Amino acid sequence: MEYRVPQDEQNRFECGFEQIIGHSSSLKSALAEVKRVAPTDSTVLVLGETGTGKELIAHAIHNLSARCGRPFVKLNCAAIPFDLLESELFGHEKGAFTGAFAQKIGRFEMADMGTLFLDEIGDIPLALQPKLLRVLQEKEFERLGSGRTHQINVRLIAATHRDLTELVRLGEFRSDLYYRLNVFPVLAPPLRERREDIRLLVLHFVEVFAKRMGKRIDQVPQTTMNALIAYPWPGNVRELQNLIERAVIRSDDGVLPNPLPRSEEGANTTIVSEGTFMDSQRALILQTLRSAGGMIGGPQGAAARLGLKRTTLVSKMKRLGIYQPRRQRAMDEFNERSELTM
């Protein structure tokens, strides 16, 4: 069997959200949360591994909100040097510091009446966190070198791949800022939890890159598609996108070659990769349980962090041979009974 690559300009696989492709249960769960929070002005914290599309989720929240059509401003906090980050966020006046030859408008001011997306919020320096907390609470700030207070109306969406609760515990992130950011968490699921979406993503990226490079690719061989579906994707959708771009460059005769390393190819690909997938699932759940203090249920529990129902996670844990400590299990059951009687 071969997969035919659609030649339509319109991507038929999009599901009503800008460039978010797929129909897996984990993705649907995340997008349901997006639909729920988008009409509000509440701060959203998008959690997820690198390459899972956290910025696309932020765009979707903005596009589905009343602020759609207003500015959507973004800033990667990890990409800006410490001594420039405050100016990037709040702006500065001419002469505020050496090299400030002109007035600069900061990202908060640019996003007034719109949405500001702060990616990698876990990398914001501790010394700058009180100023960020103030603008979130008071809706006001001053540019560097100015005593004038500016009032703003900005909806903040933050994202991180880091465990902020662990950073709080280590004293590297303010607890009050964490609670102010974590009003409504949304988890971007990893690609290994969205295997039924891989075929759609492959065909979409093939179409995009073939059109961009002026190449015609008509077929994705069954063996290539099987290998891509079985691969564990540690780099998530971003890794898939990059590998498909590479494959399109190397394609001949309208057929997409397998871009995976040779170790992932051959007759045993499915068997080996399936084992790797199970191992990666188990490792992810154990890591999430540790970061959640062993708790499965509740808004801060492992199930919520993974974007799963509690019963679904419990079922996965049993299948993978993961058992919750008896004391924590009893606490979970007590909390669940308490919620039912409230």
Side-chain angles (χ1 to χ4, degrees):
M1 179 182 177
E2 296 170 340
Y3 289 91
R4 297 286 174 178
V5 179
Q7 300 301 322
D8 307 332
E9 290 186 11
Q10 195 75 342
N11 176 18
R12 71 184 70 177
F13 304 124
E14 292 187 7
C15 51
F17 292 82
E18 182 183 354
Q19 296 298 313
I20 299 179
I21 297 168
H23 50 60
S24 61
S25 58
S26 58
L27 182 62
K28 285 181 178 178
S29 176
L31 297 186
E33 294 291 87
V34 168
K35 286 182 179 178
R36 186 173 288 114
V37 74
T40 74
D41 263 343
S42 298
T43 301
V44 179
L45 180 61
V46 185
L47 304 168
E49 299 173 12
T50 298
T52 50
K54 296 186 288 293
E55 183 177 335
L56 294 180
I57 287 180
H59 264 292
I61 294 170
H62 174 74
N63 291 341
L64 292 172
S65 74
R67 295 175 184 263
C68 183
R70 301 293 180 88
F72 179 87
V73 179
K74 58 185 179 181
L75 177 68
N76 187 324
C77 299
I80 307 297
F82 168 73
D83 54 346
L84 297 179
L85 185 55
E86 184 175 2
S87 173
E88 284 293 328
L89 287 170
F90 307 115
H92 64 251
E93 299 292 344
K94 180 179 179 180
F97 52 85
T98 303
F101 300 116
Q103 184 189 75
K104 176 183 175 66
I105 303 298
R107 302 299 174 99
F108 270 102
E109 206 166 345
M110 292 180 190
D112 194 23
M113 303 305 295
T115 302
L116 176 62
F117 173 56
L118 295 183
D119 200 3
E120 300 300 349
I121 193 73
D123 289 283
I124 194 168
L126 192 61
L128 193 52
Q129 292 177 22
K131 294 188 176 182
L132 179 58
L133 179 64
R134 181 202 169 192
V135 74
L136 292 178
Q137 290 179 334
E138 309 297 333
K139 306 294 184 184
E140 62 183 29
F141 70 96
E142 290 91 31
R143 296 187 196 132
L144 285 174
S146 171
R148 181 188 169 195
T149 299
H150 296 265
Q151 301 288 330
I152 53 163
N153 180 350
V154 172
R155 201 257 183 93
L156 182 73
I157 303 175
T160 183
H161 73 282
R162 305 183 69 184
D163 184 349
L164 293 185
T165 57
E166 178 65 11
L167 294 181
V168 170
R169 188 185 71 80
L170 294 173
E172 297 176 10
F173 203 87
R174 291 177 62 106
S175 59
D176 48 4
L177 178 57
Y178 167 70
Y179 293 125
R180 187 64 188 80
L181 292 170
N182 195 36
V183 175
F184 195 92
V186 174
L187 180 69
L191 190 55
R192 60 182 171 271
E193 295 286 343
R194 300 175 48 195
R195 290 192 179 272
E196 56 267 54
D197 294 337
I198 292 175
R199 183 179 66 86
L200 304 181
L201 287 163
V202 168
L203 297 179
H204 168 70
F205 288 133
V206 167
E207 185 180 6
V208 168
F209 290 120
K211 183 177 180 181
R212 187 178 299 173
M213 298 175 195
K215 303 184 76 169
R216 185 175 182 87
I217 298 179
D218 301 307
Q219 300 172 6
V220 180
Q222 177 74 60
T223 53
T224 298
M225 188 66 80
N226 287 346
L228 293 170
I229 291 173
Y231 183 66
W233 297 112
N236 295 294
V237 178
R238 185 177 298 146
E239 182 184 12
L240 172 62
Q241 179 179 350
N242 292 340
L243 283 179
I244 296 301
E245 182 176 6
R246 181 189 307 171
V248 171
I249 294 171
R250 291 176 172 170
S251 64
D252 294 310
D253 303 323
V255 178
L256 189 80
N258 188 343
L260 292 171
R262 290 185 179 275
S263 59
E264 295 292 339
E265 299 177 3
N268 294 324
T269 299
T270 303
I271 296 173
V272 174
S273 295
E274 186 176 350
T276 305
F277 174 51
M278 296 287 282
D279 292 341
S280 65
Q281 265 198 323
R282 193 173 193 277
L284 176 66
I285 291 174
L286 287 171
Q287 179 185 353
T288 308
L289 280 169
R290 282 194 295 270
S291 65
M295 186 168 61
I296 295 177
Q300 298 299 323
R305 295 177 184 218
L306 291 168
L308 301 172
K309 293 181 179 178
R310 182 181 180 278
T311 52
T312 302
L313 178 56
V314 169
S315 176
K316 281 179 177 286
M317 288 170 60
K318 288 179 180 178
R319 188 167 66 250
L320 295 168
I322 301 172
Y323 298 97
Q324 189 182 24
R326 182 179 300 174
R327 181 173 178 271
Q328 188 59 56
R329 185 166 64 247
M331 290 177 62
D332 261 2
E333 291 171 353
F334 173 78
N335 291 334
E336 187 176 5
R337 288 196 301 271
S338 299
E339 289 174 3
L340 291 173
T341 56
M342 285 179 68

